Amino acid sequence: DVFAAGAGLPAAATQTETIGPAAPDRLAFTSAAKTATAGQCSGPLTVEVRDGLGNAAPVAAVTPVSLSASPAAGVALYATPDCSGPSGGPASVPAGSAAGTFSFRSTAAGALDVTATAGGLVPATQTQTILAAAPDRLVFTTPAQTVTAGVCSAAATIEARDVYDNVAPVAALTSVT
Protein backbone atom coordinates (compact mmCIF):
# COMPACT_ATOMS: atom_id res chain seq x y z
CA ASP A 1 0.00 0.00 0.00
CA VAL A 2 1.08 3.54 -0.73
CA PHE A 3 0.04 6.33 1.64
CA ALA A 4 -0.05 10.05 0.90
CA ALA A 5 -0.70 12.75 3.45
CA GLY A 6 -0.53 16.50 3.24
CA ALA A 7 0.04 19.09 5.94
CA GLY A 8 -3.26 20.59 7.05
CA LEU A 9 -5.36 17.95 5.23
CA PRO A 10 -7.59 15.85 7.49
CA ALA A 11 -7.52 12.58 5.48
CA ALA A 12 -4.64 10.63 3.96
CA ALA A 13 -4.95 8.74 0.70
CA THR A 14 -4.23 5.02 0.49
CA GLN A 15 -3.80 3.02 -2.68
CA THR A 16 -2.78 -0.62 -3.22
CA GLU A 17 -0.09 -1.07 -5.84
CA THR A 18 0.87 -4.30 -7.59
CA ILE A 19 4.49 -4.82 -8.59
CA GLY A 20 5.13 -7.63 -11.02
CA PRO A 21 8.44 -9.26 -11.93
CA ALA A 22 10.50 -8.14 -14.90
CA ALA A 23 10.97 -10.49 -17.86
CA PRO A 24 12.45 -13.90 -17.02
CA ASP A 25 16.19 -14.05 -17.58
CA ARG A 26 17.65 -16.85 -15.43
CA LEU A 27 17.08 -20.13 -13.63
CA ALA A 28 17.92 -20.67 -9.94
CA PHE A 29 17.72 -23.67 -7.65
CA THR A 30 15.38 -23.00 -4.74
CA SER A 31 15.75 -26.39 -3.09
CA ALA A 32 18.77 -27.16 -0.93
CA ALA A 33 21.53 -29.29 -2.44
CA LYS A 34 20.82 -32.99 -1.90
CA THR A 35 22.88 -35.70 -0.26
CA ALA A 36 21.81 -39.06 -1.65
CA THR A 37 23.10 -42.62 -1.35
CA ALA A 38 24.38 -44.27 -4.54
CA GLY A 39 21.52 -45.99 -6.35
CA GLN A 40 18.80 -44.13 -4.40
CA CYS A 41 16.49 -41.34 -5.61
CA SER A 42 17.65 -37.85 -4.69
CA GLY A 43 14.22 -36.58 -3.77
CA PRO A 44 12.82 -33.43 -5.35
CA LEU A 45 14.98 -30.61 -6.68
CA THR A 46 13.21 -27.37 -7.60
CA VAL A 47 14.40 -24.85 -10.15
CA GLU A 48 12.77 -21.45 -10.48
CA VAL A 49 12.56 -18.95 -13.34
CA ARG A 50 13.65 -15.51 -12.11
CA ASP A 51 14.03 -12.00 -13.43
CA GLY A 52 17.31 -10.06 -13.30
CA LEU A 53 16.47 -8.79 -9.80
CA GLY A 54 15.97 -12.29 -8.40
CA ASN A 55 12.15 -12.21 -8.34
CA ALA A 56 10.19 -15.32 -9.31
CA ALA A 57 9.01 -14.72 -12.89
CA PRO A 58 6.11 -16.97 -13.97
CA VAL A 59 6.29 -18.11 -17.59
CA ALA A 60 3.47 -17.59 -20.08
CA ALA A 61 3.82 -21.01 -21.73
CA VAL A 62 5.15 -24.41 -20.68
CA THR A 63 8.92 -23.99 -20.61
CA PRO A 64 11.09 -27.10 -21.16
CA VAL A 65 14.13 -27.32 -18.87
CA SER A 66 17.02 -29.49 -20.08
CA LEU A 67 18.88 -31.30 -17.32
CA SER A 68 22.49 -32.44 -17.35
CA ALA A 69 24.96 -33.82 -14.84
CA SER A 70 28.72 -33.77 -14.52
CA PRO A 71 30.19 -36.31 -14.28
CA ALA A 72 27.44 -37.95 -16.30
CA ALA A 73 28.45 -41.62 -15.88
CA GLY A 74 25.93 -43.57 -13.83
CA VAL A 75 23.45 -40.66 -13.57
CA ALA A 76 19.77 -40.75 -14.54
CA LEU A 77 17.76 -37.49 -14.54
CA TYR A 78 13.98 -37.57 -14.14
CA ALA A 79 11.34 -34.95 -14.98
CA THR A 80 9.44 -36.04 -11.85
CA PRO A 81 10.16 -35.33 -8.16
CA ASP A 82 10.42 -39.01 -7.20
CA CYS A 83 12.51 -40.72 -9.92
CA SER A 84 9.40 -42.27 -11.44
CA GLY A 85 8.80 -42.50 -15.15
CA PRO A 86 11.41 -42.54 -17.89
CA SER A 87 14.73 -40.79 -17.41
CA GLY A 88 16.43 -38.42 -19.81
CA GLY A 89 13.47 -36.29 -20.85
CA PRO A 90 13.36 -32.57 -20.13
CA ALA A 91 11.64 -31.27 -17.03
CA SER A 92 9.34 -28.30 -17.46
CA VAL A 93 7.99 -25.21 -15.79
CA PRO A 94 4.19 -25.16 -16.25
CA ALA A 95 2.49 -22.14 -17.84
CA GLY A 96 1.60 -19.56 -15.21
CA SER A 97 4.19 -20.94 -12.80
CA ALA A 98 7.80 -20.03 -12.08
CA ALA A 99 8.99 -23.40 -10.74
CA GLY A 100 9.61 -26.92 -11.98
CA THR A 101 10.60 -30.00 -9.98
CA PHE A 102 12.76 -32.97 -10.98
CA SER A 103 15.02 -35.63 -9.42
CA PHE A 104 18.06 -37.76 -10.15
CA ARG A 105 19.70 -41.07 -9.28
CA SER A 106 23.46 -41.68 -9.40
CA THR A 107 25.56 -44.80 -8.88
CA ALA A 108 28.88 -42.94 -8.60
CA ALA A 109 29.86 -41.59 -5.17
CA GLY A 110 31.26 -38.05 -4.96
CA ALA A 111 30.28 -34.55 -6.00
CA LEU A 112 27.72 -34.25 -8.79
CA ASP A 113 27.00 -30.96 -10.57
CA VAL A 114 23.42 -30.80 -11.84
CA THR A 115 22.65 -28.10 -14.41
CA ALA A 116 19.23 -26.85 -15.54
CA THR A 117 19.06 -25.00 -18.87
CA ALA A 118 16.13 -23.37 -20.67
CA GLY A 119 16.20 -21.44 -23.94
CA GLY A 120 17.09 -17.78 -23.52
CA LEU A 121 17.69 -18.06 -19.75
CA VAL A 122 20.95 -18.10 -17.81
CA PRO A 123 21.41 -21.73 -16.62
CA ALA A 124 21.64 -22.80 -12.98
CA THR A 125 24.09 -25.34 -11.53
CA GLN A 126 23.99 -26.90 -8.08
CA THR A 127 26.46 -29.40 -6.57
CA GLN A 128 24.90 -32.51 -5.02
CA THR A 129 26.65 -35.12 -2.86
CA ILE A 130 26.43 -38.86 -3.54
CA LEU A 131 27.48 -41.19 -0.72
CA ALA A 132 28.62 -44.78 -1.28
CA ALA A 133 26.05 -47.49 -0.63
CA ALA A 134 26.66 -50.08 2.09
CA PRO A 135 29.83 -52.17 1.60
CA ASP A 136 29.17 -55.52 -0.04
CA ARG A 137 32.68 -56.87 -0.77
CA LEU A 138 36.41 -56.45 -0.26
CA VAL A 139 38.88 -55.97 -3.10
CA PHE A 140 42.68 -55.94 -3.23
CA THR A 141 44.06 -52.61 -4.45
CA THR A 142 47.66 -53.81 -4.69
CA PRO A 143 48.84 -56.26 -7.33
CA ALA A 144 49.52 -59.91 -6.57
CA GLN A 145 53.01 -60.62 -5.24
CA THR A 146 55.54 -63.38 -5.71
CA VAL A 147 57.72 -63.87 -2.62
CA THR A 148 60.37 -66.35 -1.52
CA ALA A 149 59.44 -68.66 1.35
CA GLY A 150 60.46 -67.15 4.68
CA VAL A 151 60.65 -63.58 3.32
CA CYS A 152 58.07 -61.02 4.34
CA SER A 153 55.88 -59.74 1.53
CA ALA A 154 55.25 -56.09 0.80
CA ALA A 155 52.07 -54.66 2.26
CA ALA A 156 48.83 -55.82 0.67
CA THR A 157 46.00 -53.29 0.70
CA ILE A 158 42.26 -53.94 0.54
CA GLU A 159 39.19 -51.71 0.28
CA ALA A 160 35.54 -52.20 1.09
CA ARG A 161 33.38 -51.44 -1.96
CA ASP A 162 29.67 -51.11 -2.56
CA VAL A 163 27.64 -52.82 -5.27
CA TYR A 164 28.48 -49.93 -7.66
CA ASP A 165 32.25 -50.30 -7.04
CA ASN A 166 32.50 -47.12 -4.92
CA VAL A 167 34.87 -47.17 -1.96
CA ALA A 168 32.45 -47.80 0.92
CA PRO A 169 33.51 -46.86 4.44
CA VAL A 170 32.85 -49.47 7.11
CA ALA A 171 30.97 -48.46 10.27
CA ALA A 172 33.40 -50.13 12.66
CA LEU A 173 36.82 -51.76 12.75
CA THR A 174 36.60 -54.85 10.58
CA SER A 175 38.81 -57.89 10.92
CA VAL A 176 40.03 -59.41 7.68
CA THR A 177 41.36 -62.94 7.60
Side-chain angles (χ1 to χ4, degrees), residues 94-125:
S97 177
T101 305
F102 63 96
S103 57
F104 69 88
R105 183 184 324 263
S106 176
T107 58
L112 176 69
D113 288 335
V114 175
T115 299
T117 306
L121 301 176
V122 175
T125 299

Side-chain angles (χ1 to χ4, degrees), residues 112-174:
L112 176 69
D113 288 335
V114 175
T115 299
T117 306
L121 301 176
V122 175
T125 299
Q126 187 179 60
T127 301
Q128 318 300 326
T129 302
I130 311 303
L131 304 174
D136 81 329
R137 69 185 182 285
L138 295 174
V139 297
F140 283 95
T141 59
T142 50
Q145 301 176 40
T146 301
V147 295
T148 304
V151 176
C152 187
S153 70
T157 306
I158 58 168
E159 285 180 340
R161 302 246 178 117
D162 70 8
V163 67
Y164 304 106
D165 207 34
N166 296 304
V167 175
V170 294
L173 183 61
T174 303

